[in-house]
Amino acid sequence: MSDQDGAGPAERGRFQRTDELTERALVVDARAIARGDILPLAAGRTTFPRYIDRAAGAHLWDVDGNRYVDFLLGYGPVILGHADPGIAAAANAELERGVCFAPLWSPRQVELAELLVDTIPGAERVLLLKTGSDATTAAVRLARIHTGRSVVVRSGYNGWHDWSVEQRAGVPDGVRRETIEFESSDLESLRSILADRGSEVACIVMMPCEDDVTSAEHLQLVRDLAHSVGALLVFDEMRSGFRLSSGGAQQFFAVRADLATFSKAMANGYTISAVTGSAEVFDGLGSTKVSSSFHVNPGDMAAAIGTITRLRDTDALERIWGMGRMFLDGLEQIVGELGIPAEVVGYPPMPFMRFLPSDSAADLSARFHRGVVERGVLLHPDHQWFISAAHTPFDIEEALSVCRASLARL
Ligand SMILES: Cc1ncc(COP(=O)(O)O)c(C=O)c1O
C-alpha cells in the first residue's frame, strides 16, 4: 500500500474514538478479535468505521462524528432506510405491550403468515423464525424429512451453520460429506454432481442471483435438474426477497421453488426470517422441532407487516430500482471514461463493482474503497452493495462524484 493512502495529518483523529473502542474490544470481544478490519490498515491506522453512533434514512454517523451515505444497509435488511419512523412506531407499539410470551402467540403471527401467503408465490404455508441461518437450516431439515435423503447441494452463502459454513474448522467430517458445493452459474458441474450422487440429494439450495444477473431459463433448468433426481429446489431469498420484487425472485423470474427462505429486507432490519412453500413439504414439520423462545416476538412481526405492506403497496421498490439504475449507469460511465480495469455488475437494487482479476486487483480495490470511505460513502469491498427507498438522487450523485474522485486517484 503506498504512503499516500495512509491517514495524513488532517486525518489524525478521524477515527480516534473508533481506535479507543477497538483497543478495548481487542481484549474482550471475540468477534472483533476474530474478524479484523473490513479494509486493511493504512500506515497502521483504521480506515473503515467500526462503531456506529446513529443512523437515519440513507445515512450513518460513526462514533467519531463522521457521516456516511450508507450502501451496506446492514448487509441488505434496511430497505426502507434506517430508523424508518413508521416501522419503528409499529414495532414499538408491540414492544410496549410485552415482547416475549412463548409458547403463546400474538395475533401478529397470523396476520404476517397470511400476508406472506398473499405476497410470495407458492407460499401455502409459512414458518417464522429469527435469522437467515435459522431459515435456511429449517428448509434443509424439511427437505430431508420430505425426501428421506440427507445430501445438500448448495451454492453461495447460506448462513453459518455446520451444513453451510464454507470454512472446515469445527465442522465434523460426516456433516461435510453430506454437503456438496457448486457454482450456481455452472450447470455442468451441477449435472455431474447429480449424476454421481443424485439419488442421495434432498435439496439444492441456492441464491437465485449472486453478484451477477441471471436468467429465468437458467433457474428453470436448475429446478428441472433438481426434480429429475427427486430433490427439492430451495431458493435462498435472503438478498433477493422483497428487493428484486415484493414477491422476491420467484415472482421476478416466474420460476417456482419448492421452498423459499427470507429475512433481511422483510422487516427493515428487525430480526425475523421465514420459510415459505408447499403444504405437502411443511407436513414434515410435525415430526421434528424447529423452535426458539424468540421465534414469536410480536415487535419484529409488526415491523415485517409494515415493511412488506409498504413494499407491496407503494412505489418504494420502483424508487429503489430507479436509484440503483442511476448508480449502476453512472458508475459504468465513470469506469469507462477513466479506463479502470473493473466491471459494474448486478441488478439495480444490489449493484456491485469488482476489479478485473490481476496481481494489483486487491490493492486497487483497497485503495478505491478507502478513498470512498474517506469521502463519506460506505461501499463494501467484498460484498454486494444495497440501495434503500431512502436514497435520493442527491445521495446517488454524491456517491458517484466520490467514486469518480477515488477512481481518478488510482
Ligand atoms: C444469501 C444469504 N443466505 C443466508 C444468510 C444468513 O442470514 P443471517 O446472517 O441472518 O443468519 C445471508 C446473510 O448474509 C445471506 O446473504
Side-chain angles (χ1 to χ4, degrees), residues 241-258:
F242 306 101
R243 181 168 276 286
L244 282 186
S245 75
S246 57
Q250 295 185 95
Q251 182 181 61
F252 186 77
F253 294 107
V255 175
R256 192 68 61 81
D258 300 292

Side-chain angles (χ1 to χ4, degrees), residues 74-75 130-136 155-161 206-207 209 236-240 261 263-264 271-273 383-384 386:
Y75 276 138
K130 286 282 97 181
T131 69
S133 302
D134 268 5
T136 53
S155 153
Y157 182 67
N158 307 123
W160 69 271
H161 290 310
M206 65 183 284
M207 285 187 246
C209 59
D236 176 344
E237 292 234 42
M238 240 48 84
R239 297 183 205 173
S240 53
T261 60
S263 181
K264 297 205 187 248
T271 318
I272 190 161
S273 63
H383 193 289
Q384 278 162 322
F386 296 97

